[in-house]
Amino acid sequence: MNFLSTFVTFQNLHEVRRLCHWGPVIALSVIAICSTMAILDSIIWYWPLDTTGGSINFIMLLNWSVLILYNYFNAMFVGPGYIPLGWKPENQQDTQYLQYCRVCQGYKSPRSHHCRKCNRCVMKMDHHCPWINNCCGHLNHAYFTSFLLLAPMGCSHAAIIFIMTMYTQLYERISFGWSTVKIDMSAVRQFQPLMPFSVPAFAATLFALGLALGTTIAVGMLFFIQMKVILRNKTSIESWIEEKAKDRIQHYQTGEDFTFPYDLGTRWLNFKQVFTWSGTPKGDGIEWPVHPKCHQHTLTIEQLKQKADKRVRSVQYRAVEDYNGACCPISKGLQTFFRTPCTEEPRIPLNKGDTILATRGTKWWMYGDKVLNEEHITVGERVRGWFPRRCVEKCHYDTAASDSTSVKKVN
């Protein structure tokens, strides 16, 4: 019972509905197709169970499937952890450093952010992932990252099985016009397969191979992105906050020395904040260990400065390239194609000359509002969504003389 309780944790029965979404349906379908085809190809055509190597291969395939599903369902159902509704800090004076969430009717603790999809304030929110139909945050960050590691490893193993199956079954049938390619298969143990390798079997194996290779590349890149922020003890949102902090300091020439508060100094210490032997990350999701030069509210104070900064100046970008709103635009470069945000938030098409007010982003993508009414930028109609960073360039700031004074009031 203890094993079953740790395998999947349901906060309530409504959590099961997370499966009824296109993200989990596609993800579980890919896992089922690759796992099933790899097992069938192994025991029927490639490496039967009556050999030692075949038995080890079969056990490894089952091991990948179990570990992938274990971490996937935990990432989905354990969830990121949510700030209690109506939460307030124990010290009431700390409320001046925190933002208030009108939806949750409480204050946002350090590192938490409100997710419009989950409709809750999420502990240490990184992003909302459509593939698990849940947020990636404090409690499930390790499970989510482990899934991103295991899925490419399992798919790589499956891809080898698919390739070797077609190699061993088709080596006598491969021909190119007048010549026949003969491959020496003397090193391969010959056996009588349970059924002939027919055209449907070849088509199914080839289809599964495409899924396995695509998953290995796409999910593998996501794994490296996640490990990059974990080793710095950041989230994707905090990386954007840090970037805006440096931009604000440079623009106003305040002379501040911004230090990211949650980087503990070494990658190993940062790594242990997320990955533990028990599977439960360190901390309660409210208070965090910080850099010696910082305190609990260093980053929240910076957020308040940036929020006040928005009221006195507009961070505007001007579109320099057309963009049709595609989710993965190959024409904008391979990095933009492969590092498209894994979110259900929309993409906004751009035309040269459009004005965009960016609020956050990554190295290759940005998120913000496209202004539809240029005459009234502050109150005009807008369209919100993601767009490639290479399609825009930063405009000059319209800053009043008292801007720096207004921003410095928040300290």
Side-chain angles (χ1 to χ4, degrees):
M1 292 299 293
N2 290 335
F3 173 77
L4 292 177
S5 65
T6 57
F7 187 83
V8 173
T9 302
F10 294 96
Q11 292 184 351
N12 51 61
L13 293 178
H14 295 290
E15 291 292 314
V16 183
R17 293 188 299 180
R18 294 192 182 277
L19 293 169
C20 304
H21 182 267
W22 64 265
V25 169
I26 294 177
L28 292 174
S29 297
V30 171
I31 295 172
I33 292 173
C34 291
S35 299
T36 302
M37 285 304 304
I39 292 173
L40 290 178
D41 281 7
S42 293
I43 63 179
I44 296 178
W45 294 297
Y46 172 55
W47 214 348
L49 293 177
D50 59 358
T51 63
T52 302
S55 300
I56 295 175
N57 175 68
F58 180 76
I59 293 173
M60 288 183 63
L61 288 174
L62 292 180
N63 179 65
W64 291 128
S65 300
V66 170
L67 290 177
I68 289 171
L69 291 174
Y70 171 82
N71 286 281
Y72 179 82
F73 284 124
N74 270 297
M76 178 186 294
F77 293 122
V78 170
Y82 302 106
I83 302 298
L85 296 175
W87 179 83
K88 296 181 180 179
E90 295 182 0
N91 186 354
Q92 292 300 315
Q93 293 182 353
D94 292 341
T95 57
Q96 62 181 316
Y97 306 126
L98 302 174
Q99 298 185 49
Y100 186 80
C101 179
R102 296 180 180 179
V103 178
C104 298
Q105 295 295 305
Y107 288 91
K108 300 178 184 179
S109 68
R111 310 192 81 176
S112 68
H113 301 273
H114 186 84
C115 174
R116 290 192 297 270
K117 293 291 183 180
C118 298
N119 204 33
R120 291 289 300 274
C121 286
V122 177
M123 295 179 178
K124 193 190 172 186
M125 179 179 175
D126 187 85
H127 68 286
H128 184 92
C129 178
W131 303 111
I132 63 174
N133 196 21
N134 206 340
C135 277
C136 174
H138 175 57
L139 295 181
N140 65 350
H141 205 171
Y143 292 123
F144 180 76
T145 308
S146 298
F147 166 74
L148 296 183
L149 170 65
L150 293 167
M153 295 178 67
C155 286
S156 297
H157 186 187
I160 294 174
I161 298 299
F162 299 145
I163 293 173
M164 293 304 299
T165 298
M166 292 186 288
Y167 177 72
T168 56
Q169 295 300 315
L170 301 179
Y171 75 98
E172 291 180 343
R173 312 175 195 180
I174 301 176
S175 63
F176 300 94
W178 61 85
S179 63
T180 301
V181 180
K182 295 182 179 181
I183 305 174
D184 183 13
M185 296 295 294
S186 59
V188 180
R189 179 179 181 272
Q190 301 296 322
F191 66 94
Q192 189 65 31
L194 300 179
M195 62 180 69
F197 193 70
S198 59
V199 173
F202 172 76
T205 301
L206 190 62
F207 176 71
L209 175 61
L211 288 180
L213 292 178
T215 301
T216 300
I217 296 173
V219 180
M221 293 190 69
L222 292 177
F223 168 74
F224 283 109
I225 293 173
Q226 283 298 312
M227 284 304 302
K228 184 178 179 180
V229 296
I230 287 175
L231 293 178
R232 298 175 181 178
N233 205 9
K234 296 180 183 178
T235 64
S236 301
I237 297 176
E238 290 168 350
S239 296
W240 175 243
I241 295 174
E242 183 182 26
E243 181 179 339
K244 289 195 295 183
K246 295 178 180 179
D247 175 73
R248 179 186 61 80
I249 294 172
Q250 181 180 7
H251 173 70
Y252 289 116
Q253 298 295 320
T254 60
E256 299 176 61
D257 182 18
F258 180 78
T259 301
F260 184 74
Y262 306 115
D263 189 344
L264 301 183
T266 66
R267 294 181 177 181
W268 176 241
L269 291 177
N270 293 334
F271 179 84
K272 291 195 299 181
Q273 289 297 308
V274 176
F275 293 94
T276 61
W277 288 110
S278 65
T280 303
K282 293 184 178 180
D284 57 2
I286 304 294
E287 295 186 2
W288 308 90
V290 295
H291 191 277
K293 296 181 180 180
C294 306
H295 55 83
Q296 285 293 321
H297 301 102
T298 297
L299 198 65
T300 57
I301 291 175
E302 175 57 36
Q303 289 178 262
L304 291 174
K305 290 180 180 180
Q306 294 176 10
K307 186 176 181 181
D309 193 18
K310 289 181 182 179
R311 296 171 183 169
V312 297
R313 69 176 176 93
S314 296
V315 184
Q316 299 180 25
Y317 287 80
R318 184 73 62 180
V320 295
E321 293 183 23
D322 293 336
Y323 167 56
N324 61 5
C327 180
C328 301
I330 187 64
S331 62
K332 301 304 179 184
L334 291 178
Q335 294 283 8
T336 303
F337 177 81
F338 285 114
R339 298 193 180 186
T340 181
C342 293
T343 174
E344 291 180 296
E345 293 171 319
R347 274 61 169 171
I348 52 175
L350 301 176
N351 295 315
K352 289 183 180 180
D354 286 344
T355 299
I356 307 98
L357 305 179
T359 56
R360 55 189 169 95
T362 65
K363 185 177 181 180
W364 303 101
W365 288 81
M366 300 191 72
Y367 183 87
D369 300 328
K370 182 175 75 171
V371 179
L372 301 181
N373 187 350
E374 294 284 350
E375 296 181 358
H376 303 283
I377 291 181
T378 57
V379 295
E381 187 179 357
R382 302 175 183 176
V383 177
R384 178 174 295 179
W386 290 92
F387 52 91
R389 185 183 283 266
R390 61 172 287 176
C391 293
V392 298
E393 65 179 13
K394 188 178 295 184
C395 300
H396 67 277
Y397 295 117
D398 297 326
T399 311
S402 60
D403 285 355
S404 57
T405 305
S406 300
V407 175
K408 289 179 180 178
K409 288 181 180 179
V410 183
N411 49 44

